[in-house]
Amino acid sequence: MSMILNNVNYVYGTGTAYEVQALTNINLKIQDGEFIGIIGHTGSGKSTLIQHLNGLIKATSGGIYYNGEDIYDDDYDLRQLRSKVGLVFQYPEHQLFETTIFDDVCFGPMNQGLSKNEAGLRAFEALKNVGMPESLYYQSPFDLSGGQKRRVAIAGVLAMKPEMLVLDEPTAGLDPKGRDEIFEQIAQMHEENHMTIILVSHSMEDVANYVRRMIVMNQGRIVYDDVPVKVFGYCRELEAIGLAAPQVTYLMQEMREAGFAVRTDVATVADAKKEILRLFGSRVSR
């Protein structure tokens, strides 16, 4: 299974004084089971891009194909697409509205035509997958912490059994502990379920430990699309478009400039630790 975007363009306010080119010539192929980070500063086009993936926004020009089918064909079932490509918005309170957590998570499957019992089984499974304790299932979602609301919002999408999960800034506004917990849960879901996951963020640091492929956007265009360590090698270019590599990448570059023979294509603390131990271990062994 795959999704292909072919020369996709999108213009807000076409023909008005407020016309803005939000996406320009986007060519992208997403393979089944990938874990992708889409990175860019505010206004870079990343949120506009992901809303094209399940047909919430229609491209001004260009084509989008899901599993070989053109989603813009007149007879294409967009409702079916949205059950396969689940989108979790940046602020989960925009997606929570039922009186209990359990009812909220049941809503999507029931809207797909499942029975109450089938939807309930899906809800239990999804809530378990995101680490929500059963003692909270029948409480109001509005009584939850920010991190718990994120988990419930993700569970509501998971309960619909999507093939692709798209998360727009899923840790926005959370404290470091809550942010780490959400990222760990997402990584675990990818590992256990082999689900295609697209993680949108403005922070290189946040996604460096998790994604396998990184797409960097600027002014509605894709400027880099590669494995994270290669993208982070463009530190100065990233800074020029308002982004930055992880702090540990800068540390390794400073060590190299100071005369230490370390690799600079390092993006995580764990990899930096291995590299430093390798360096000093080799010195001690001499």
Side-chain angles (χ1 to χ4, degrees):
M1 293 176 285
S2 65
M3 177 170 283
I4 296 172
L5 282 72
N6 181 34
N7 205 34
V8 168
N9 291 270
Y10 185 73
V11 180
Y12 283 108
T14 304
T16 73
Y18 302 100
E19 183 172 305
V20 174
Q21 181 85 28
L23 295 177
T24 303
N25 300 331
I26 299 295
N27 291 288
L28 184 63
K29 184 172 185 178
I30 301 167
Q31 297 282 17
D32 184 37
E34 285 198 279
F35 196 164
I36 301 173
I38 299 180
I39 310 297
H41 58 76
T42 301
S44 62
K46 57 188 188 298
S47 292
T48 301
L49 172 61
I50 62 169
Q51 290 181 66
H52 281 75
L53 302 184
N54 70 351
L56 286 179
I57 293 178
K58 184 176 181 179
T60 305
S61 64
I64 299 180
Y65 305 87
Y66 187 62
N67 295 336
E69 296 183 86
D70 186 345
I71 73 167
Y72 295 145
D73 279 348
D74 291 339
D75 59 351
Y76 188 83
D77 187 354
L78 282 175
R79 183 176 175 180
Q80 182 69 11
L81 173 68
R82 288 164 190 160
S83 73
K84 299 297 184 183
V85 181
L87 175 58
V88 179
F89 291 99
Q90 181 172 348
Y91 297 103
E93 55 269 27
H94 295 171
Q95 291 177 257
L96 305 177
F97 59 90
E98 290 282 5
T99 55
T100 72
I101 291 167
F102 190 75
D103 287 341
D104 208 292
V105 179
C106 284
F107 177 83
M110 291 184 70
N111 200 42
Q112 288 178 311
L114 272 64
S115 69
K116 188 173 182 179
N117 286 341
E118 290 172 319
L121 289 172
R122 291 253 192 119
F124 270 115
E125 181 184 5
L127 286 165
K128 182 180 178 182
N129 282 339
V130 299
M132 284 297 293
E134 288 188 30
S135 59
L136 297 179
Y137 286 8
Y138 297 100
Q139 292 190 19
S140 168
F142 303 105
D143 293 335
L144 301 176
S145 68
Q148 289 172 325
K149 286 181 179 179
R150 303 293 158 93
R151 291 172 187 262
V152 173
I154 293 169
V157 175
L158 287 178
M160 294 187 287
K161 299 285 187 181
E163 296 169 346
M164 181 185 297
L165 181 63
V166 184
L167 302 114
D168 190 2
E169 300 279 8
T171 63
L174 298 183
D175 59 30
K177 182 175 183 292
R179 186 169 64 242
D180 290 345
E181 287 176 351
I182 291 291
F183 278 131
E184 288 293 339
Q185 202 71 52
I186 293 167
Q188 184 177 338
M189 286 190 297
H190 177 261
E191 188 70 27
E192 293 178 354
N193 302 322
H194 307 291
M195 182 185 297
T196 305
I197 293 181
I198 299 175
L199 182 63
V200 178
S201 178
H202 65 278
S203 171
M204 294 282 195
E205 202 100 41
D206 284 345
V207 299
N209 285 309
Y210 303 101
V211 305
R212 315 278 175 83
R213 175 184 173 191
M214 186 171 286
I215 295 168
V216 180
M217 297 193 66
N218 184 49
Q219 296 182 346
R221 297 176 182 269
I222 294 175
V223 292
Y224 298 110
D225 181 355
D226 212 326
V227 295
V229 291
K230 289 190 177 180
V231 172
F232 295 144
Y234 298 101
C235 291
R236 305 309 171 207
E237 292 87 349
L238 292 172
E239 289 171 357
I241 61 174
L243 298 172
Q247 288 298 313
V248 71
T249 304
Y250 291 108
L251 171 64
M252 302 305 282
Q253 289 184 343
E254 289 172 8
M255 288 184 68
R256 171 65 71 87
E257 291 167 3
F260 295 99
V262 293
R263 289 171 37 222
T264 56
D265 59 341
V266 171
T268 68
V269 172
D271 286 344
K273 178 182 176 181
K274 290 178 185 177
E275 183 64 9
I276 291 169
L277 287 175
R278 179 198 62 78
L279 173 66
F280 287 100
S282 64
R283 291 189 175 192
V284 170
S285 63
R286 289 197 192 111

